[in-house]
Each structure stands twice: as C-alpha cells, then as structure tokens.
Amino acid sequence: NIMIIEKNNLDLPPGTLVENLKSPEWGMGQVQSCINGKVTINFENVGKKVLNQNLVELKTIEINANR
C-alpha cells in the first residue's frame, strides 16, 4: 500500500519513511525533522540530506507490518 502525496502540503513527522523520486538510488530514507520547509532525511545509501520541501519530490513508503 504505497500512496503518493502532494508536495508542499505534506506533513512529515520524524520516522516517516520516504523515497526521493528524483534520486531513487539514494534508497529509502527516514525523516529526522521538518522545519520551515527544510526536511532532514537520513537515506540508506547517501546518509543525511537536508532538502527543500518545495523542490523535492518525496514519496512516502507505508509499511504494513503485523505487530
């Protein structure tokens, strides 16, 4: 169940898993913080990146796990 949400109005609480659609080779990323349009994400292949939320195209990754 993967849903794509519009940029600009997305709420990215810490821990959200995302993928950068323009740089899929970065791998899966986990949101660290989102302040004033700057979102800090720790990606599995390239480490921590600070991105402009208005310019980046992020796809949230919903993982349906039975807990």
Side-chain angles (χ1 to χ4, degrees):
N1 176 11
I2 294 176
M3 58 179 208
I4 297 178
I5 42 184
E6 290 293 317
K7 57 184 180 174
N8 301 339
N9 63 356
L10 79 172
D11 181 35
L12 292 172
T16 303
L17 296 175
V18 296
E19 186 177 69
N20 184 345
L21 294 177
K22 290 182 177 173
S23 302
E25 69 277 6
W26 288 6
M28 192 164 65
Q30 186 176 46
V31 175
Q32 309 293 303
S33 65
C34 185
I35 302 165
N36 295 333
K38 296 273 187 263
V39 56
T40 303
I41 302 170
N42 195 8
F43 288 96
E44 55 187 349
N45 296 332
V46 293
K48 196 169 282 189
K49 296 278 188 185
V50 179
L51 304 170
N52 182 327
Q53 198 174 353
N54 294 321
L55 300 177
V56 69
E57 290 183 42
L58 296 174
K59 176 178 76 176
T60 58
I61 301 166
E62 299 285 338
I63 296 179
N64 294 332
N66 294 330
R67 294 180 185 254

